[in-house]
Amino acid sequence: MYQQAKHDRRLIMERDGHSDFDLPFLKELTDQDIAIPTGMRRTVLDLPSLPEREVVKHYVNLSQMNYGVDNGLYPLGSCTMKFNPKYADYLTSLPSVNCIHPWQAEETMQGALQIMHELELALCEISGMDAVTLQPAAGAHGEFTGMLLTKAYHLNHGEERDEVVIPDSAHGTNPASAAMAGYRVVEIPSSKDGRVDLEALKAAMSERTAAFMITNPNTLGIFEEDIQQIAKIVHTAGALLYYDGANLNAVMGRTTPGKMDFDIVHFNLHKTFATPHGGGGPGAGPVGVKERIEPFLPVPKIVLKDSKYSLDYDRPESIGKVRSFYGNFAVLVRAYAYIVRMGGNGLKAASDRAVLNSNYLKKQLMDVYPLPFRELRKHEFVVSAKLLKDQKGIRALDVAKRLLDYGYHAPTIYFPSLVEEALMIEPTETETKETLDEFAAVMKRIASEDPEVVRSAPHNTAVKKVDEVYAAKEAILSYRAFKRRGTDQKS
Amino acid sequence: MYQQAKHDRRLIMERDGHSDFDLPFLKELTDQDIAIPTGMRRTVLDLPSLPEREVVKHYVNLSQMNYGVDNGLYPLGSCTMKFNPKYADYLTSLPSVNCIHPWQAEETMQGALQIMHELELALCEISGMDAVTLQPAAGAHGEFTGMLLTKAYHLNHGEERDEVVIPDSAHGTNPASAAMAGYRVVEIPSSKDGRVDLEALKAAMSERTAAFMITNPNTLGIFEEDIQQIAKIVHTAGALLYYDGANLNAVMGRTTPGKMDFDIVHFNLHKTFATPHGGGGPGAGPVGVKERIEPFLPVPKIVLKDSKYSLDYDRPESIGKVRSFYGNFAVLVRAYAYIVRMGGNGLKAASDRAVLNSNYLKKQLMDVYPLPFRELRKHEFVVSAKLLKDQKGIRALDVAKRLLDYGYHAPTIYFPSLVEEALMIEPTETETKETLDEFAAVMKRIASEDPEVVRSAPHNTAVKKVDEVYAAKEAILSYRAFKRRGTDQKS
Amino acid sequence: MIDGRSHDTQTHAARKVFNHDSAVTKRVVMSQEIEMLAALGLSSLDELFVDVPKEVRIDGLNLPAGKSEIEVLRELKAILAKNLTADDHPCFLGAGIYHHFIPAAVRTIVGRSEFLTSYTPYQPEISQGMLQALFEYQSYIAELTGLDAVNSSTYDASTALGEAATMCFRLNEKKRFLIPEAMSWEKKSVLSNYVLGLKMEIVEYGYDPITGELDLEDLRSKVDRDTSGIYVETPNLFGVIDTQALFLKQEFPEAALVVGVDPISLGVLKAPGDYGADIVIGEGQSLGIDMNFGGPLLGIFACRQEHVRKMPGRVIGMTHDSEGERAFCMTLQTREQHIRRSKATSNICTNEALMAVAASVYLSILGKEGLEGLAKVNIARARKLMDLIGEIEGFDSPAFEGSHFNEFVVRTSTRPEKLNRLLLKHSILGGVPLAAHVPRLDHHMLFATTEMHSDADHEALLKALKEVA
Amino acid sequence: MIDGRSHDTQTHAARKVFNHDSAVTKRVVMSQEIEMLAALGLSSLDELFVDVPKEVRIDGLNLPAGKSEIEVLRELKAILAKNLTADDHPCFLGAGIYHHFIPAAVRTIVGRSEFLTSYTPYQPEISQGMLQALFEYQSYIAELTGLDAVNSSTYDASTALGEAATMCFRLNEKKRFLIPEAMSWEKKSVLSNYVLGLKMEIVEYGYDPITGELDLEDLRSKVDRDTSGIYVETPNLFGVIDTQALFLKQEFPEAALVVGVDPISLGVLKAPGDYGADIVIGEGQSLGIDMNFGGPLLGIFACRQEHVRKMPGRVIGMTHDSEGERAFCMTLQTREQHIRRSKATSNICTNEALMAVAASVYLSILGKEGLEGLAKVNIARARKLMDLIGEIEGFDSPAFEGSHFNEFVVRTSTRPEKLNRLLLKHSILGGVPLAAHVPRLDHHMLFATTEMHSDADHEALLKALKEVA
Ligand SMILES: Cc1ncc(COP(=O)(O)O)c(C=O)c1O
Ligand SMILES: Cc1ncc(COP(=O)(O)O)c(C=O)c1O
């Protein structure tokens, strides 16, 4: 059976040695060369000092105690953990990607600008939007940008709308981003079949409504079939329709947010476009908009004229900047390479297969893990462990932890909250039928295992069940804080 | 406690999917473009077909079931498993290293030739030799080359000497290489204190003796203090003195084979010069010689004239070639980078520290694991588990296997065979005192553990004790052979 | 080729740029897929999309057909080759992004599949590696900044500043936030977007035209009772180590003190926590992260332990597992968007975790002596270069008298943009013109230098400057 | 600086080339080391070397002092930049080494620390990863060659040939070994060194000047009762798929048949095991391994199962662990030098294991269809190019009528060396002149082409050839 590696877990600060790092010029320096103003000079610098050998050992061994897509199935619903192709790693290792400075003159960065420009166009085509900014660093950052654009748009039309309507099934970043931009968030409940409740939507809309934020397919993996009516309701109220692109992987080449009449959309390149998630980031969250919102996009805009690319900062209606420079360029290069590799046909095939995999896997699991809503699903689906909980006292959390013992990452759990004991499963298109069959078999096996074994899982990971309550209570966030406390856990 | 990762261990041939590899031109090909002669056309090609995702998962997970220097201490005596610096990996990733063709014209490979030439000179300086060939692919290959040189040298002097004398403590490749070159191997026993027995040596020498092959320090880690007499005896008999450079890590900057009057020496760049061993190879085994043997070196010889490097093939006395092209170039680049990084001072410091680490560790272990010979040791030392075996039935093999459970690679065992229950330990210079102290503590703890636990070790590795007898009996060397047999092990 | 698309202009543009036939190549349905469809009682992939209303369906994408890996690499490398790189052109650009040396081992580690291809560590038991590496990152930053609480990253320094301003509001519910006039215009723009929701007021204070440090007088005149926080940078936009920062907490104890740093400089400079900083932010790109044309970056964010529950972003905490062994997990999540939703301390979800790991590995390899040495080398090299430039006719260098870290302002008689064009002819990527950031400094530019510049690089710059002057 | 060195010339040469002051920099002894010395009762490192007789001691090395990683990389990159590479120059060189595409994933895997930094898997329990990967390599080669027994690599094709010849002797104790005249001179030279010990006799047989295949008549005339083995290559030196190989076992059942292959070609060509080969060797560099200026390479070595105990080199066998689970280990070690010593079947110890892993990953990524497709593309591309060259005045192409794989001989009116110099002016790395291998073919050269050449690359070559013709 699967067993994760376990290594010595001392902190790097708790190891002993002598650094063998070396620098040119250092030996020749005299104190005179380095005038540090009085009062500003540091007296204590309590960092470890280790030879590179120890550092490499430490982090190679740490890495073995971490699970990534490259280790196996990572069916984390809503996160689209597909395979990250290795040619993209290679490209970002080139100096022509990683060794260019953002303040270089335009004529020295034509390659970078070309790739960004073509990526913008490709994203326009994929989303059916008219213009794209690549600046936001992540999905939530894209949402925030979208909310700033919404604000600018309405202000430009002389309106100070101050509410954003969001379904209760939405990802937490949606309300948080809207709030950050100063909006009051109005949450509407989902209908009984897990979709937008048109009546509730209508009721929530008013002349205060700036936008309605949804994702389609929604977080249950259900396509909002009433999307045309929804768009109409929103637009009739004078609000904008915002598309959370986290679920774009379900529909490429089949429909577009543009076609569905969305006004603003963000992309998660680290989901749909196969860039690695890096244990939490970096990502990239470009934002696409319809023509009428284009003037408000962040500066600079990449302009192509006479086969020369340039950066246009002279955009008076722009919201300005949402971060430094032009976006997470190295991530953008990866995504662009992925799009070129896949092509229009390949992206459509990816979505088709993602939906097929999802529906196929759902079918295998349905008997044991009932679906709250018996619809055709798109690229992900939510099942419930409620039956298991009632019959054997096994909760969604327990199933998740037990899956780790079999060498799978767990699905997303307890989200969306409208499903009891939710397990949100997104296999993605890069998994084989064989993998899905094996995963389904394990899911079923878990349901029939000794509940005690399941509840006390995981057993095969580097550590056993982690005490999250203690962590929150103590809030020890650094070795410095830990030492200050003077006590330790057994380690 | 340490636990190695365990993953699914199906063969790649036992997995199922569809390859997503793609090629330009393929789609447009017609049968006419590809004329394969009748009879030569293959009808069956039984290879797996898997998406890259599955392949990457498979091999990433396999790698986690393998232990390298980057995972921890690798005190494999005689193998000098020091840290392999990462700048060398970077260099070999450059197209200017990995994307040059050996048949390119000289003027297009000046960089490569310069590096090889300077590496030759550096190795001359380190070994005290007059000329070096970089051609041999490994240590044993260097030995074979050395034996061919020996033969050419004597023939050139009108002598057909047909014996090579080798101490019984020598590495197996020494006699094997001599035999491959057509020599009869005469083995002489070591003296009671583990060194060359001068009387035995004298007795073995005759006009039939072509060479005496030794390493100094020898495989026990003992410096042959009588080296000057040895050289005299050998040279007086008209034979050549051959230096097995596997132990060069003990003496850089302290002495040289040249100074000790050796005539031929091979280097193991994958030991002394920190190039990674790759799970068995590639290595590089350059050979250095004194001036009088230089004419016989393999072709081509790199020549520097008027700041231009060229390859000289016009060397009538040369033995010709021992392999294609110029050597394991990518390995040579790594070794050269290492030498430049360390410098003359750094190489000496490396040897000093290697010897210090070895002696320090030996000191910690001596009580529990007695040393057969109580000498000052060089970079490695041999202890015996005989005491443990007699008292508790724990053999060297058991200690070795049990060390794996603690996350250390095992030392070399049962070599050299003149020590009963030998454990040959070479910590190398890249380990910290902390690591040595911890390793010593574990070695001692093992000695006091329940013998049954030790004898049944390893317990924490990906598989338990492997049945090597079965493997040898059945000799199943491929999936094809395995399928043909029709039976399986439980997997 | 694609019917019923509403945005013909765009489609047309795409077609033009990609310069390829649009190719909605027929998909080969594989045997595996036929089996899976059959299991679902379906006979075509199209049937999986019957829930998409006909009116919004499209028939494929108007993008070129897929290409093989060989072709992708060939094409992209050809495009990228149009960039000039700091790898083969001496580059004196700084102003937020610096060309520092990255030990090869850093790439080895951050390239490890297990780190690179993992998601945010939601399941701590199977993600201890990433969690511990991030905890170590937090620990390093805590030590450097002198503050106990550090998050596991924000997007970059400018968004960290935005988050810091809103955190100040959460700390004291006040709305005025003071920033230096001498600050990157990009940061100012980002900040104003971040405080838009709270309607905070951003007020700039000036700098001393002689020293280049902040103008304490001016600052005093602008601090009032509604002042939530004061932001100061050291080294500042001019590369000057701002000694005035030392006195701000004493002077203005009521306002939160936010200090912006270059983490390398903290190898020799006092930890801001030791002179009263409540929040420290900074750009972590210097710590082993490629310039990458400006992204991904690493927003450093640290604060006093007592404010930890007001902090934005993910944090990793130390705890233990059910057997009492040390373990790590994400913690204080009740501050975060996925729990607190619209009341969260920030919307940040995906952050820059892998960059934090890079910083951790980088700092581990340098070690104490290495970081200290690096800071010293940067100071010394900049000092040498600024003095030598100052000796050239037509250049006033350094333009400010304060102590510098690794960049400095030069007043030039030639206009900076023109000077850069001339330098480019010498294959040199020049300096950053300052006017975009501080409009009146339109004959000033910033030159940065680090351990990456050899003496030959300095000489090349000096020679070129002499020629163009 | 260094006293008493006997080889002053060399030392002098080194000093000149490195062009640095010799620097036996004083070593800083670290606190750790002082502690360790103390534990040994010593007070200096020198005392560790008292067993080295004074007369043979040296006082450090006359090499430049150590450098920082920054400097090392800067220096080496500058030197290496003097190489022209096939990465940016169309390269038509083959003759044993080919520029094939390597999927990025191959590098990801072979760069994994656990594989890269491990030794030969002496402890199977902790080395299953490498062992299984090598077993898979053996399995791939077994399938491609049609032979069940494969070793886990020899150094390269030429040493594999040397080992094959001596293995033939072990099989039948005969001493005559036949090889094609049309074969790389390097292989011939290596072979003669490998058989020196056994005093085997190497005899060459000719080729058919029309087809470029072997001359069966000539071969018949040279096979005698003492013939131990016959070596044939397909594709051969001329790039020709030698169909005569199919008949050799029938014709000469007493001699061992050794077939040399390009493993890529086996994607479409019959497995030599199926036409009677006893041993198959080949150069595995094509299988996902960089050209690397000719090393490291990958010597492929396969034989019939019944001969396995006579085979040279390391082999990995399938077995089980103490709990009955499948496991792998090195096996048949009693053939090897560390046990059998002077009676071993070979002296090979360190081999090319990591290259074998690369081949395994490469073949896994290509898969059945990929390898077959690749072989086809190579055949088709070569065919197209040879025909187009043939249309140019002054070039007779292909010079032989047989079917070709991915290279072919061109008879040129210009001397090949001169032609290459002219091509270089067009930034093209031309072909391999044949005269070094087959002296009478002094107006002949070999051009190789693979999937790496775009149509533009072919056109560039054709255009250049037209201009120089
Ligand atoms: C539905 C949805 N929306 C938004 C986001 C936020 O994206 P990011 O994590 O890139 O900020 C996520 C990611 O978790 C998501 O799943
Ligand atoms: C003492 C000694 N000599 C020779 C060799 C052979 O070297 P290689 O493995 O590089 O062929 C070794 C390596 O194991 C060795 O330890």
Side-chain angles (χ1 to χ4, degrees), chain D residues 305-333:
Chain D
Q305 181 77 21
E306 67 240 52
H307 301 324
V308 69
R309 280 157 221 270
K310 300 254 157 73
M311 187 164 60
R314 298 230 143 102
V315 293
I316 313 304
M318 188 189 270
T319 180
H320 48 253
D321 73 1
S322 58
E323 297 185 348
E325 286 201 36
R326 182 193 279 176
F328 302 92
C329 65
M330 294 202 293
T331 191
L332 305 183
Q333 298 195 51

Side-chain angles (χ1 to χ4, degrees), chain A residues 77-79 138-141 143 171 173-174 215 219 244 246-247 266 268 270-271 277 284 415, chain C residues 119 122 155 347-350:
Chain A
S78 193
C79 299
H141 203 213
E143 295 167 14
H171 193 256
T173 51
N174 292 184
T215 166
T219 42
D244 175 339
N247 294 337
H266 84 254
N268 295 63
H270 44 299
K271 297 180 179 179
H277 205 274
F415 176 75
Chain C
Y119 204 80
Y122 288 131
Y155 306 132
N347 71 335
I348 194 169
C349 179
T350 290

